[in-house]
Amino acid sequence: MMKKLILAATIVGGMATGLSGQAFAKHHHGPPPPPGGGCGMMAGPMGGPGGGGYGMPFLGNVQLTSAQHKKLQAILKDSHPDFRADMEQEHGLHKQIQNLLVAPGKVDESQIVGLQQQITAIHQRHEAARLQTAIRIHDILTADQLNQIRTTQDKVDSLHEQLRALTAPPQPPEDAKK
């Protein structure tokens, strides 16, 4: 049982962390990415192509043509908003909420709600940008390439289900339920 758990965790973990490096190596013909999955200017909010940040987590498993590769580079370059400024803004909003929560007296919930709405708006902008990038990437892929991605995604989903089943707490005996 323990060997199966370790094997499943190793496989899923390896697939999750290794794909962004594979995508980089397969499509960028340069040195491997630095630790943490970053891809230099190509890095997206969650590790760049192959890392899942753009809604195409298994893009690294697909062989792109030279033309597709150029289009992908252009898409990722165009779709790279300034997330650092947004992260700093969000950090400042969280700090304001924290300051309101530790201030003496009654908490002004309306101020907290307003700050929370600003944080939500930042998240929504990021998600909309990621989805638009994923749509643009989708549009440069062939049906066969999309099927390859789907097959890999289905396999990983199956592994996740197996891992959840292996790590789920045991069910109480039937006698204890009565």
Side-chain angles (χ1 to χ4, degrees):
M1 172 75 170
M2 188 56 124
K3 286 182 181 179
K4 286 182 181 179
L5 175 63
I6 292 171
L7 177 62
T10 302
I11 290 170
V12 171
M15 290 183 82
T17 59
L19 290 176
S20 65
Q22 288 176 2
F24 186 86
K26 191 177 275 187
H27 301 298
H28 300 283
H29 309 294
C39 297
M41 76 169 201
M42 301 296 284
M46 294 177 63
Y54 293 108
M56 292 296 217
F58 304 110
L59 187 59
N61 293 4
V62 176
Q63 186 65 40
L64 298 177
T65 66
S66 177
Q68 287 174 315
H69 175 68
K70 287 178 183 175
K71 288 178 184 178
L72 176 64
Q73 284 182 321
I75 290 169
L76 295 180
K77 187 175 182 180
D78 292 345
S79 300
H80 195 1
D82 185 12
F83 287 109
R84 184 174 308 276
D86 286 343
M87 286 179 10
E88 289 173 5
Q89 180 184 3
E90 185 175 346
H91 176 74
L93 294 168
H94 281 289
K95 185 73 173 160
Q96 289 178 49
I97 291 172
Q98 184 64 30
N99 289 340
L100 288 170
L101 292 173
V102 298
K106 183 158 174 55
V107 173
D108 185 349
E109 290 185 46
S110 65
Q111 279 187 305
I112 291 178
V113 168
L115 294 169
Q116 189 177 28
Q117 289 171 344
Q118 291 177 55
I119 292 169
T120 300
I122 292 169
H123 292 176
Q124 288 173 338
R125 281 195 315 268
H126 288 188
E127 185 63 18
R130 279 189 285 273
L131 288 174
Q132 284 304 311
T133 301
I135 290 168
R136 291 177 65 196
I137 292 170
H138 170 276
D139 292 346
I140 68 169
L141 300 173
T142 66
D144 285 342
Q145 290 169 326
L146 292 169
N147 285 333
Q148 286 176 327
I149 292 171
R150 184 63 175 160
T151 299
T152 302
Q153 186 175 2
D154 289 344
K155 288 177 184 177
V156 170
D157 289 346
S158 174
L159 287 171
H160 283 178
E161 285 299 319
Q162 291 174 39
L163 186 58
R164 278 191 285 279
L166 287 170
T167 59
Q171 295 294 322
E174 287 295 320
D175 294 341
K177 290 182 182 179
K178 294 178 183 180

